[in-house]
Amino acid sequence: MLRYTLMRLGIFAGCFLALWGLVLVGALPRGLGDSNLLWVLMLSIVISAPLSFVLLRKVRDQASVEVVAKVDRAKGRLAANRSQEDAL
C-alpha cells in the first residue's frame, strides 16, 4: 500500500511540476491575482487522478489483494479467539 501511495504522490508531483512549468512559460493561463498556486494544485489533482487510475491499475490490484489477505487473517484470528473463549 505504501508503494501505491508513493507512486500516486509521484504522479501528482510530476503533474504539478509540468503544469507549473506550462504556467511559467505562458502556455496555461495564470490564476486570478495570487491564486496561481491554488490554480496549479487544483489542475494537478484533476489531471493526476485519472492518470493514477489508469497507470497504477496493477499496483492497486496487488495492494488490494494484500489488504484482503490481511483482513482474512485477522478475521481468522478473531474467530479462533472467540472459539477459545467459548470453550472455557
Side-chain angles (χ1 to χ4, degrees):
M1 200 62 168
L2 179 65
R3 179 178 175 221
Y4 171 74
T5 303
L6 291 175
M7 291 176 81
R8 184 144 185 198
L9 285 172
I11 289 176
F12 171 75
C15 287
F16 178 79
L17 292 175
L19 291 171
W20 187 267
L22 289 173
V23 167
L24 288 178
V25 241
L28 289 176
R30 293 185 181 271
L32 297 174
D34 293 334
S35 67
N36 192 31
L37 179 63
L38 182 62
W39 158 254
V40 175
L41 281 172
M42 295 302 289
L43 196 55
S44 298
I45 290 171
V46 168
I47 292 175
S48 70
L51 282 175
S52 296
F53 185 75
V54 172
L55 296 175
L56 300 179
R57 182 175 307 240
K58 290 181 182 178
V59 178
R60 186 177 56 250
D61 290 343
Q62 290 172 351
S64 174
V65 167
E66 291 174 12
V67 168
V68 167
K70 288 180 182 180
V71 168
D72 288 342
R73 283 195 307 264
K75 284 182 180 178
R77 287 192 305 264
L78 185 60
N81 287 342
R82 285 187 186 152
S83 65
Q84 287 177 350
E85 289 176 4
D86 292 341
L88 295 176

